[in-house]
Amino acid sequence: MSTIQAAVMTEPGHIELRQFERPQIAPTELLLKIECTGICGSDKHMYAGHMALKFPLVPGHELVGTVAELGAEATEHLAIVGGPIKEGDRVTTTPSSQACGRCHYCLHMPQRPTLCANRFVYGFVSSELAPAPRGGFSEYLHLTPNSWVFKIPDDLSSERAVLTEPAAVATRAVERALGPGIPHIGEGLGLDKSVLVLGAGPIGQLVIAVLEHIGTDLIIAADLSPSRLELARAMGAHQIVNVGQGSLEERQEEVQSMTQGVGPDTVIETAGVPVAFKESLDLVRRGGMVVEVGHFTDPGEVGIHPHIICFKDLDIRGMWAYPPIQFKTALSFLKNTRAPLDRFITHRLGLDRIGEGIDITGSEGSMKVVIEP
Ligand SMILES: [Zn+2]
Ligand SMILES: [Zn+2]
């Protein structure tokens, strides 16, 4: 029996390489040989102990791979988008399987499949449950029936395609701000609108690139890091605000001076720091919208005055991941955007250096760290 390697997080703060048996797929399944997997902010939060999960587990959910083995009946049991697939094809896959179709949310709100109570999400599941490993920081990934498989277009490089999952988050964040927009009466996102993106990490940068892609007239990026703000400009931000300088009142004035004295129409919060949510409420104009993207994990709480939500007549929209078909939108965006995404991946490391990769993620001078098993 041949073995494969995967990185196992045994508990928060500890990750190590372990051997697993090479997965044996059923006729209804697919075996993916992983080419590269990005380290996500949520992997870092998991490592920091911000997520209630059952350890040990193999993290990783932003991946590109090639079809190593395709079961004889697999194409009838997988959700395949982008054309028929065969062994050797490059594909990516959503972390979650198809929604169950039977729970309260599937029956009542099928347009929001991430609310399904029975979703399986690889990269977040115990490696003690068969089949293991079920995460992207591994040489192989076993795709069971009802998994989603997206064929990567030939003219889209793996370096770009490995950004599909974060680009799905970013495109959904912008779509949350877009709909149901009534731009001519001043509601929602549209032409001649201003958007402040709070946080210029990987998700914030991609949100900026998506806003630029759809033609937003004023994009303001805010972050603590000068190098991130500089990259934000290259991604499409027209104005930048360093949140590490000055008081909140000074920042309010600075942002208002960019937005006809009122504040941005929309704030998209991607920093995932509780105080950034409070600041979103403080900075958005009256009658505006806040889209909260950053708090996919729970790093703590912040005090707010709920009065401000009434006084400003605000719309606040949350976001729990994205429907799987968002990967199609993300791939289309990655193929067509003019943003300099080649500057996006700052580090490439082997699987044996994953601990180092998690430490680098989020540090000054880093953007996306990619593991090549
Ligand atoms: Zn991610
Ligand atoms: Zn369901």
Side-chain angles (χ1 to χ4, degrees):
M1 182 72 76
S2 67
T3 60
I4 64 160
Q5 277 196 322
V8 178
M9 202 178 285
T10 54
E11 60 184 343
H14 186 82
I15 193 160
E16 64 185 32
L17 286 191
R18 282 194 188 166
Q19 307 287 328
F20 289 83
E21 281 179 12
R22 183 183 158 107
Q24 302 289 307
I25 61 161
T28 53
E29 299 176 330
L30 185 157
L31 184 66
L32 196 63
K33 182 169 187 358
I34 295 175
E35 186 182 331
C36 48
T37 303
I39 298 180
C40 179
S42 61
D43 299 323
K44 179 129 186 151
H45 281 290
M46 188 190 290
Y47 195 68
H50 294 160
M51 295 174 104
L53 294 168
K54 237 175 125 51
F55 293 94
L57 60 85
V58 177
H61 58 267
E62 303 181 356
L63 58 88
V64 167
T66 53
V67 179
E69 291 172 31
L70 186 65
E73 300 152 28
T75 55
E76 289 143 53
H77 294 267
L78 299 166
I80 300 170
V81 182
I85 54 164
K86 57 182 187 317
E87 286 174 10
D89 281 349
R90 271 185 326 145
V91 299
T92 183
T93 172
T94 56
S96 69
S97 60
Q98 281 175 289
C100 76
R102 298 180 305 279
C103 72
H104 177 89
Y105 293 103
C106 284
L107 294 174
H108 294 83
M109 301 195 78
Q111 78 282 19
R112 297 199 185 191
T114 63
L115 301 182
C116 172
N118 303 314
R119 286 193 320 153
F120 165 83
V121 185
Y122 77 73
F124 299 88
V125 66
S126 168
S127 58
E128 282 170 352
L129 296 173
R134 302 290 298 272
F137 299 127
S138 169
E139 291 178 288
Y140 287 91
L141 184 68
H142 187 146
L143 293 185
T144 45
N146 298 326
S147 296
W148 287 78
V149 180
F150 291 78
K151 191 172 177 186
I152 296 170
D154 288 339
D155 54 354
L156 184 65
S157 69
S158 295
E159 293 194 343
R160 283 196 170 217
V162 77
L163 303 175
T164 307
E165 199 276 340
V169 174
T171 53
R172 171 124 199 269
V174 173
E175 288 180 351
R176 284 294 269 159
L178 278 166
I182 315 173
H184 70 281
I185 60 165
E187 294 191 5
L189 186 55
L191 296 173
D192 190 26
K193 291 286 175 282
S194 56
V195 184
L196 170 67
V197 181
L198 210 45
I203 296 294
Q205 301 282 355
L206 289 170
V207 165
I208 290 164
V210 173
L211 290 168
E212 197 279 337
H213 185 62
I214 64 167
T216 309
D217 282 2
L218 177 60
I219 305 166
I220 307 166
D223 199 271
L224 291 162
S225 155
S227 67
R228 291 187 162 203
L229 289 171
E230 196 273 317
L231 181 61
R233 268 201 198 281
M235 290 290 161
H238 306 100
Q239 301 274 7
I240 56 172
V241 175
N242 190 325
V243 293
Q245 290 167 2
S247 64
L248 172 64
E249 290 69 33
E250 285 167 327
R251 269 198 300 290
Q252 266 170 324
E253 267 178 43
E254 188 182 359
V255 170
Q256 285 177 4
S257 73
M258 299 168 180
T259 51
Q260 301 165 53
V262 292
D265 301 305
T266 297
V267 176
I268 302 181
E269 195 291 294
T270 69
V273 181
V275 72
F277 176 67
K278 178 191 178 297
E279 191 143 339
S280 301
L281 303 178
D282 292 329
L283 294 175
V284 69
R285 72 159 162 81
R286 291 184 77 188
M289 185 194 300
V290 172
V291 180
E292 172 50 54
V293 183
H295 286 83
F296 190 71
T297 63
D298 186 3
E301 58 185 11
V302 65
I304 61 166
H305 292 266
H307 167 70
I308 198 172
I309 298 166
C310 288
F311 172 69
K312 287 193 171 180
D313 207 31
L314 289 183
D315 284 329
I316 301 176
R317 292 185 182 167
M319 194 179 115
W320 188 242
Y322 42 78
I325 199 66
Q326 195 84 36
F327 262 42
K328 181 168 178 281
T329 308
L331 284 163
S332 169
F333 158 72
L334 291 168
K335 200 163 109 88
N336 294 309
T337 175
R338 290 175 313 221
L341 294 178
D342 47 311
R343 291 181 55 190
F344 213 78
I345 297 173
T346 52
H347 299 77
R348 282 186 181 74
L349 303 170
L351 196 55
D352 55 327
R353 290 172 69 194
I354 181 145
E356 194 185 325
I358 291 173
D359 287 339
I360 293 169
T361 298
S363 65
E364 177 67 26
S366 76
M367 189 47 60
K368 185 54 85 180
V369 181
V370 168
I371 299 295
E372 297 172 324

